[in-house]
Amino acid sequence: MTEGTAVAPSWYSVRTVYLLPGFKKKLYEERITVWRAMSMTEAIELAEVEAREYEGEQDGDGSAIGPTYLGRAQGYATCIEGDSVGSADEVFSLLRSSKLKPKAYLDAFFDTSSERQTNFKPRSKKKAKRVK
């Protein structure tokens, strides 16, 4: 979708990036939040205000005790119509050109072995039914 000002509010998502304090190795967090706004610019502005609130507090000597917002906000104009986000609505997409083959691409950007995530193993090979 193209940037512009909508006649009525639309749904946008914004990805923001943070540095978390208190870890030997640097630990980063990416968050995707959803916003109802008149434009992408407004959605990003709203997300950045929320990002500053999410940052948290500082201790007595000014050191961060909460995450530090790194000033990176990537917006996405969704194709969601209506007043609410529903199951299977796409809320973020990022296209990236790369010369890497699929496995190398996933290893480079999504499976670096430093992610803190749970590996999901499906219980069965049956397709899940969508809840409407």
Side-chain angles (χ1 to χ4, degrees):
M1 292 185 91
T2 58
E3 164 63 278
T5 302
V7 177
S10 297
W11 288 103
Y12 299 89
S13 62
V14 180
R15 178 168 76 168
T16 49
V17 183
Y18 305 81
L19 174 62
L20 302 179
F23 296 91
K24 286 184 180 181
K25 288 187 174 183
K26 289 183 174 64
L27 183 61
Y28 296 92
E29 178 184 13
E30 297 179 24
R31 295 176 69 226
I32 297 175
T33 53
V34 181
W35 301 92
R36 189 92 161 136
M38 296 300 289
S39 68
M40 177 79 73
T41 299
E42 181 185 12
I44 290 173
E45 288 170 352
L46 291 167
E48 288 192 317
V49 167
E50 191 275 341
R52 296 286 180 210
E53 292 170 0
Y54 181 70
E55 274 188 306
E57 301 174 5
Q58 297 181 340
D59 64 15
D61 68 358
S63 298
I65 57 175
T68 300
Y69 173 52
L70 300 180
R72 170 69 64 184
Q74 295 175 310
Y76 178 72
T78 73
C79 295
I80 299 168
E81 296 178 8
D83 291 333
S84 62
V85 178
S87 291
D89 284 345
E90 182 176 282
V91 297
F92 193 82
S93 176
L94 176 70
L95 302 176
R96 179 184 289 134
S97 296
S98 176
K99 293 180 181 180
L100 296 172
K101 292 184 178 181
K103 182 172 181 346
Y105 179 87
L106 292 174
D107 288 346
F109 294 104
F110 296 97
D111 193 16
T112 65
S113 298
S114 60
E115 293 83 7
R116 294 186 176 203
Q117 63 186 8
T118 301
N119 292 323
F120 173 73
K121 304 228 189 251
R123 287 184 236 169
S124 71
K125 296 189 182 215
K126 294 179 184 178
K127 288 190 175 184
K129 294 181 183 179
R130 285 193 182 166
V131 177
K132 293 186 180 185

